[in-house]
Amino acid sequence: MEISREVFWNIEYGLLVYVGLLLPLLIGYAIYRRYSLWQLGKAEDRFEQGRIKAFITEAIGILLHKRLLGIGPLPVSPRELYAGAMHFLIFWGIVLLLVVTALVAVHDHVVKFMHGTPYLVISFLGELGGILALAGIIMAGVRRYVQRPDKLDSKLDDAVTLVLLFLLIVTGFVLEALRISATVPTPEWERWSFIGFGIASVLGMEKVSLLPWHKGVWWFHVIIFYGAAIYFCLSWSKLFHIIISPVNIFFRSLRPKGALVPIEGIEEAESFGAEGIKDFTWKQLLDLDACSNCGRCQDNCPAYLSGKPLSPKKLIQDMKISMEAAGNVHEEEPRALIGEVIPDDDIWSCTTCRACQEVCPVYVEHIDKIIEMRRNLTLTQSRMPEALEAMVGNLFSRGHPWTGAQFIRLRGDWMEGLDLNMLGEKKEIDTLFWVGCTGALADRNAEVTRSLARILKSAGVEFAVIGAEEPCCGDPSRRIGFEILFHEQVQQNIETFRKNNVKRIITACPHCFNTIKNEYPQYGGEFEVLHHTQVLADLLRNGKLKTGGGGEFKRITYHDPCYLGRHNNIYSEPRYVLDRLALPDVIEMSRFGRHARCCGGGGGRIWMEEPVGTKINRMRTDDAIETGAELVITACPFCLQMFEEGIGAKGPDNTALTALDIVEVVEKGLA
Amino acid sequence: MNIIVCIKQVPDPEIPPVKFQIDPEGKKVIPPDGVTPVISVFDERAVEAALKLKDKYKAKVTALTLGPDSAKAVIRHALAMGVDAGVHIQYEAAGELDSFGTAHVLMKAIEKIGDYSLVLCGRQAADWDAGQVGLLIAENLGIPVVTVAKKVDLQDDKLRVESVIQDGYHVMEVSMPALVTVSSEIGLSRLPTGIGIVKAARVKIENLSVEDIGADIPEARCTELIKLYVPVRDIQCQIIEADTVQESAEELAVRLREAKII
Ligand code: SF4
Ligand code: SF4
């Protein structure tokens, strides 16, 4: 007998499966219904040049499940690896099955090519696809209903989806087995369909009596398939992420990661940010449908992990309900988005650390949504936590966020005795050392500022400072949603930089760094902006700094500041710097690099109270203590303050940990 | 109802005392570099008092300041808080004027603005703490004045003002137009809102010179500053050493008696 098979073999009216060609129509209808929901949002241009190229580049990584499996320099946790592997198996299993099915259709109607080896290979691949998918589905079932991780909330749809997929694959195998059993004589090469062959051996070979069974199961299999398809389309099931995720990934933000979007026409606006669901853009609404409810974001959110009311996953899911209510999908009374659907506390709990976005497999943009709501709260409704009111008042009248700090020191005090060039004094100096409010006004951080100034001088870097007149960079205003102040600050600063011919800006604060580097260009201010870790790495690399002493610490660890790491991908420079010093190797904390836990100070949180749950900075301090290190090194003034508070709260009897900025460690380690 | 609030720009009271320098010859305060002057706290409360009235009744609030170019900032501040208009009498040497001179210029400005039912001032400015200007403006305008208010409200066509005294407050009824000086008991002043800041940027501040309003700057001050100095505090510490506690206590008593403390 020839190595091949007839497609519809035992089945009459088998061609009815091609009703399936109507499936795209059904899917199209489902998408159209959701599309009208996304259209409730405002316009936004996501059709910039380079999008297609970016998508193709990204697609390879996505097909390989790079994010989910943690392929790359920074791996994921075992639990995440399990989920990643599970998705990988289901995804590739189903892809193989679909490809095999499509090839079978081609064989039947276009060119008959499935004879001999091609047939065997294709049957083998089909078999493999089935096994992969089945393994993945079983893993998913175990995860969802046995392991039950906190990040998954199981709804009926999840169970229906798993059961339908499971039945589809199992009936597929049974069908194959029945076909093999009922074929007389059984061809030897059917062994290539190894699972079907295995089951057939149990059923017994050459049993023509099984033919009616084959027919029954065939129809059952087909009905499940169509039933599933109709269910998925009409209920807008989670499986729809198969279609929406790629769309969402295609339209993902191509802005620099750390940049927020400006409010357009802010000077003429009458209201700001998003008060209701329709104030978001269509892309922000598309995000809500793209979310597959996987919980990765929640699992990495410092606010959620420390017991705050915010969960980025819940935020997205709750906003989705609001969107559906606005589009009359359910007969539901629309509730106020801010305050009712999303409580104020959730909005204020976010540290804008980006842990959620960095792990989200479908590139949902949580921070933008939170900031839009903050903008509405602060600018339109004048509603914010009391501590922030004081901070805004201070920003407004004194130009910096540190209420009361001036009682102790003034902005220019840190320069005492350092003999530095003032900006504008020497025309030829085009490098500005931007200190930032915290580095100038907080006592502990001013030590770091002085240390950096000394190192730069000793390495022969020519730079100038603004001193007492240095204003705020605008990050605090922007992150709490008080965009109008940012809007003023940024324009003033750009003017100062231009007037003084500034080309290059060095700063020790990742927040200033991020804002000046990624957000000033929105106002036409393009400068070369360097964080001190980059400058230090360079100076060490080209021998301008000579290392020597400073080996007093036995175990050290490094904390990645969010605005340096996740927002700007600077992970290796600080580690390179530490590597060059006479120090032991860095022992990484359990959450480090892309997954580093936030210190709790970003997004304006450093100026707010933290009455609910555990304090995030104390959790991070515990992470550092767990490594057994005596020294935790960071590269951000907020992180330093947060660690010192955490260490202080532990008390000297309970921990010997010290916190230093990387600059201070370098200064100790110079020859 | 039209309300005029007089506000003053002062050196930031948050400046650490050690940073405060004076020029004893020129009898001038030299604020440190890079510290932006701010609206005087009591004046900010006066703006709040005006806005509270505006919230409750229909009112147009105008902020008025006298000072150098930089003083525009306090008008912007008041606009951002929610006042409707701003008038800046630009006079670079405003710091040289004494309370009488200042009150004269402000009186002229108020007359120029005209048509007002209420003038509000802070109870005193956070720099010199003289507490005179409000009273003198009222005197110049010939209108009644209530000082140190903790609440200002309307009752029929009169003002009902609660004025702070040592152990409580007086309630006064005043006919309008009147001048009221406001104390911090009025309550925290509201924050500039986003929309306020945006709108403030759209309002054109009326910029007038002393001549525009027909004020004659007096040749000489009515009050003269004789000496300006930072009080010197000298602390010396002596440690009394003795063999026993009794002896040291005795010695301490003797020394205190010698120093005429006990
Ligand atoms: S940015 Fe950070 S704090 Fe905010 S929701 Fe995302 S993970 Fe949570
Ligand atoms: S937002 Fe992203 S990470 Fe969070 S649950 Fe949805 S898909 Fe998962």
Side-chain angles (χ1 to χ4, degrees):
Chain A
M1 196 199 297
E2 193 200 8
I3 302 181
S4 185
R5 81 176 159 94
E6 207 182 308
V7 175
F8 291 118
W9 189 57
N10 179 34
I11 310 297
E12 302 150 60
Y13 311 117
L15 282 174
L16 269 180
V17 286
Y18 291 113
V19 174
L21 293 179
L22 293 177
L23 257 189
L25 283 181
L26 188 63
I27 295 174
Y29 170 68
I31 295 178
Y32 171 75
R33 278 176 50 196
R34 300 308 285 195
Y35 173 80
S36 53
L37 289 181
W38 312 327
Q39 287 302 308
L40 294 173
K42 293 193 301 189
E44 182 186 357
D45 181 17
R46 289 267 177 146
F47 297 90
E48 316 91 313
Q49 286 226 315
R51 194 161 274 289
I52 295 177
K53 197 170 150 225
F55 180 68
I56 294 170
T57 326
E58 197 63 26
I60 299 164
I62 289 166
L63 292 178
L64 289 174
H65 284 54
K66 269 179 114 165
R67 242 182 203 212
L68 296 188
L69 294 173
I71 301 173
L74 298 158
V76 296
S77 70
R79 281 198 316 166
E80 285 174 336
L81 190 63
Y82 178 96
M86 172 201 99
H87 191 273
F88 184 90
L89 292 175
I90 301 180
F91 178 85
W92 282 109
I94 292 181
V95 166
L96 278 179
L97 286 173
L98 289 177
V99 168
V100 168
T101 313
L103 288 177
V104 169
V106 169
H107 168 84
D108 208 41
H109 304 289
V110 190
V111 261
K112 303 251 184 262
F113 66 97
M114 292 220 287
H115 310 285
T117 316
Y119 174 75
L120 292 182
V121 171
I122 290 168
S123 347
F124 177 79
L125 286 181
E127 215 68 5
L128 188 67
I131 294 187
L132 295 182
L134 196 61
I137 291 164
I138 292 170
M139 279 172 84
V142 169
R143 174 154 174 272
R144 190 170 281 278
Y145 299 106
V146 182
Q147 297 175 348
R148 295 163 175 267
D150 170 49
K151 66 178 169 188
L152 293 184
D153 43 27
S154 295
K155 303 199 195 75
L156 183 61
D157 179 43
D158 300 301
V160 173
T161 306
L162 279 182
V163 169
L164 285 175
L165 287 180
F166 182 79
L167 281 180
L168 260 180
I169 309 273
V170 170
T171 51
F173 279 132
V174 170
L175 198 56
E176 188 177 44
L178 286 168
R179 179 175 52 79
I180 295 170
S181 279
T183 309
V184 187
T186 314
E188 218 8 59
W189 42 260
E190 286 286 14
R191 285 181 187 279
W192 281 83
S193 306
F194 50 96
I195 298 282
F197 195 86
I199 305 174
S201 340
V202 177
L203 297 176
M205 292 302 179
E206 309 196 356
K207 281 196 170 163
V208 184
S209 59
L210 287 175
L211 275 177
W213 279 92
H214 175 260
K215 203 173 277 180
V217 175
W218 191 91
W219 282 106
F220 183 57
H221 182 76
V222 169
I223 288 168
I224 296 182
F225 179 79
Y226 283 107
I230 293 169
Y231 164 76
F232 292 145
C233 289
L234 294 186
S235 73
W236 192 257
S237 149
K238 64 179 289 176
L239 260 208
F240 240 92
H241 81 271
I242 298 172
I243 292 170
I244 300 306
S245 302
V247 176
N248 207 52
I249 295 170
F250 179 80
F251 285 116
R252 76 184 195 279
S253 163
L254 296 183
R255 269 176 282 141
K257 293 198 285 178
L260 294 173
V261 205
I263 298 182
E264 248 173 71
I266 190 167
E267 284 169 9
E268 286 78 43
E270 291 291 330
S271 75
F272 308 87
E275 185 167 357
I277 199 79
K278 296 182 187 170
D279 297 326
F280 291 94
T281 69
W282 65 268
K283 171 59 180 56
Q284 298 299 342
L285 300 187
L286 176 65
D287 270 2
L288 310 179
D289 269 342
C291 169
S292 62
N293 211 5
C294 73
R296 280 187 180 75
C297 51
Q298 171 180 308
D299 233 15
N300 283 279
C301 171
Y304 181 81
L305 293 174
S306 65
K308 308 292 181 292
L310 170 68
S311 147
K313 177 184 90 168
K314 191 164 171 297
L315 175 97
I316 301 298
Q317 292 295 322
D318 288 348
M319 283 180 65
K320 180 169 167 178
I321 295 173
S322 266
M323 172 175 76
E324 291 174 342
N328 299 319
V329 175
H330 317 298
E331 298 290 310
E332 215 179 289
E333 269 298 293
R335 294 184 302 153
L337 179 69
I338 301 183
E340 281 181 24
V341 179
I342 315 284
D344 287 22
D345 278 349
D346 291 24
I347 298 170
W348 293 117
S349 294
C350 175
T351 68
T352 69
C353 72
R354 206 175 195 280
C356 48
Q357 289 188 223
E358 202 71 4
V359 295
C360 176
V362 299
Y363 294 76
V364 166
E365 296 154 18
H366 310 79
I367 299 177
D368 285 346
K369 298 180 182 59
I370 291 173
I371 296 292
E372 285 303 329
M373 291 189 272
R374 285 187 177 182
R375 285 173 174 172
N376 187 265
L377 278 173
T378 55
L379 296 179
T380 307
Q381 307 195 36
S382 297
R383 202 162 90 210
M384 57 186 121
E386 220 174 280
L388 271 194
E389 287 188 358
M391 177 260 205
V392 168
N394 214 63
L395 268 172
F396 190 75
S397 46
R398 307 201 164 83
H400 66 78
W402 290 104
T403 325
Q406 270 182 191
F407 278 126
I408 304 157
R409 59 185 308 134
L410 295 177
R411 272 209 101 104
D413 286 3
W414 68 269
M415 299 186 296
E416 204 180 314
L418 286 176
D419 183 27
L420 303 172
N421 295 311
M422 301 306 292
L423 188 67
E425 273 177 10
K426 286 194 197 153
K427 270 268 154 288
E428 68 279 10
I429 301 183
D430 61 3
T431 299
L432 168 69
F433 170 20
W434 175 271
V435 177
C437 302
T438 311
L441 285 163
D443 273 357
R444 175 67 184 90
N445 301 113
E447 292 171 31
V448 176
T449 307
R450 288 174 64 80
S451 175
L452 180 56
R454 285 192 295 264
I455 292 186
L456 292 177
K457 272 187 89 171
S458 76
V461 179
E462 284 265 36
F463 66 94
V465 293
I466 302 182
E469 311 280 342
E470 189 189 276
C472 177
C473 70
D475 163 84
S477 323
R478 193 166 229 203
R479 296 293 173 286
I480 62 162
F482 217 93
E483 183 77 2
I484 185 74
L485 275 185
F486 171 79
H487 177 75
E488 287 171 3
Q489 285 158 333
V490 80
Q491 295 181 77
Q492 266 170 24
N493 291 345
I494 291 177
E495 199 185 307
T496 310
F497 297 164
R498 287 208 183 120
K499 210 169 59 202
N500 293 293
N501 197 29
V502 172
K503 297 261 160 14
R504 197 161 77 120
I505 297 167
I506 298 174
T507 178
C509 176
H511 297 263
C512 301
F513 169 75
N514 176 65
T515 289
I516 303 177
K517 181 178 161 67
N518 297 323
E519 297 183 327
Y520 280 31
Q522 296 169 347
Y523 285 82
E526 309 256 1
F527 308 95
E528 184 193 354
V529 190
L530 296 169
H531 185 253
H532 72 345
T533 48
Q534 297 173 301
V535 178
L536 291 172
D538 253 6
L539 293 175
L540 284 166
R541 211 173 274 138
N542 56 31
K544 295 266 172 59
L545 288 177
K546 301 255 180 306
T547 56
E552 68 216 70
F553 292 100
K554 295 204 177 53
R555 281 172 86 86
I556 62 168
T557 186
Y558 173 75
H559 164 78
D560 289 279
C562 305
Y563 276 81
L564 201 58
R566 273 187 295 269
H567 283 282
N568 284 289
N569 289 336
I570 300 182
Y571 301 111
S572 55
E573 286 85 344
R575 290 180 172 80
Y576 170 80
V577 168
L578 294 175
D579 199 41
R580 288 293 307 270
L581 300 174
L583 284 171
D585 286 349
V586 170
I587 302 165
E588 299 291 0
M589 290 183 242
S590 51
R591 290 172 183 266
F592 73 101
R594 269 182 62 199
H595 299 283
R597 191 200 303 272
C598 170
C599 74
R605 291 279 341 159
I606 196 161
W607 295 285
M608 295 181 231
E609 305 287 332
E610 200 181 337
V612 182
T614 321
K615 289 198 173 8
I616 298 176
N617 66 320
R618 306 220 174 139
M619 294 178 78
R620 192 53 175 162
T621 308
D622 284 337
D623 289 347
I625 291 172
E626 237 169 58
T627 63
E630 311 149 70
L631 174 63
V632 54
I633 299 161
T634 183
C636 168
F638 295 168
C639 298
L640 187 59
Q641 283 194 24
M642 292 315 243
F643 272 112
E644 297 218 317
E645 198 283 337
I647 294 169
K650 281 258 160 218
D653 298 338
N654 299 315
T655 177
L657 190 68
T658 311
L660 288 178
D661 189 280
I662 192 163
V663 165
E664 298 174 296
V665 182
V666 170
E667 201 177 25
K668 275 175 195 283
L670 291 185
Chain B
M1 179 166 72
N2 290 336
I3 306 173
I4 298 172
V5 194
C6 304
I7 56 181
K8 180 180 185 185
Q9 189 180 44
V10 298
D12 192 345
E14 263 205 15
I15 299 170
V18 286
K19 303 283 163 147
F20 226 87
Q21 287 181 347
I22 53 158
D23 162 17
E25 296 300 303
K27 295 178 198 155
K28 272 196 198 133
V29 175
I30 313 165
D33 277 351
V35 182
T36 345
V38 296
I39 180 172
S40 174
V41 269
F42 296 114
D43 297 352
E44 200 180 9
R45 303 297 171 102
V47 174
E48 176 61 31
L51 293 174
K52 282 204 167 92
L53 285 168
K54 186 184 158 180
D55 292 343
K56 210 162 157 188
Y57 312 99
K58 238 175 95 68
K60 178 184 179 209
V61 184
T62 305
L64 166 65
T65 194
L66 163 66
D69 187 42
S70 70
K72 254 201 294 298
V74 295
I75 298 274
R76 286 257 170 259
H77 187 98
L79 285 167
M81 284 173 71
V83 311
D84 306 282
V87 178
H88 176 200
I89 310 299
Q90 189 169 343
Y91 181 52
E92 296 306 317
E96 316 272 301
L97 294 175
D98 63 3
S99 304
F100 293 91
T102 308
H104 169 73
V105 179
L106 288 175
M107 178 267 287
K108 284 288 185 192
I110 292 167
E111 281 182 338
K112 169 100 187 171
I113 297 168
D115 190 23
Y116 60 90
S117 340
L118 174 63
V119 179
L120 291 169
C121 298
R123 61 181 281 182
Q124 66 209 56
D127 49 0
W128 292 96
D129 283 331
Q132 302 280 310
V133 171
L135 294 164
L136 293 169
I137 296 174
E139 172 75 21
N140 288 346
L141 289 169
I143 56 172
V145 58
V146 183
T147 55
V148 206
K150 76 188 265 281
K151 190 165 178 200
V152 187
D153 203 351
L154 289 184
Q155 199 163 47
D156 305 324
D157 56 346
K158 295 210 172 69
L159 279 176
R160 183 183 180 279
V161 184
E162 292 176 8
S163 156
V164 180
I165 51 171
Q166 209 168 17
D167 304 316
Y169 60 89
H170 290 306
V171 180
M172 313 246 201
E173 208 179 76
V174 202
S175 62
M176 293 191 281
L179 187 146
V180 176
T181 73
V182 176
S183 182
S184 40
E185 286 84 349
I186 200 98
L188 282 180
S189 39
R190 67 195 64 191
L191 215 67
T193 58
I195 193 81
I197 297 175
V198 171
K199 288 200 171 136
R202 291 179 206 158
V203 175
K204 197 173 159 353
I205 298 173
E206 198 177 347
N207 195 289
L208 299 171
S209 68
V210 184
E211 293 76 40
D212 290 340
I213 54 171
D216 332 290
I217 300 292
E219 290 284 310
R221 295 166 60 110
C222 296
T223 53
E224 196 194 337
L225 186 61
I226 303 201
K227 186 177 171 200
L228 185 65
Y229 63 100
V230 178
V232 188
R233 270 205 247 155
D234 193 16
I235 300 170
Q236 282 170 6
C237 183
Q238 291 176 19
I239 294 176
I240 296 164
E241 295 192 49
D243 295 337
T244 66
V245 184
Q246 273 88 353
E247 279 171 31
S248 51
E250 269 169 35
E251 180 62 21
L252 173 65
V254 171
R255 300 260 193 105
L256 288 175
R257 175 62 54 87
E258 278 170 10
K260 301 208 169 57
I261 292 169
I262 52 174

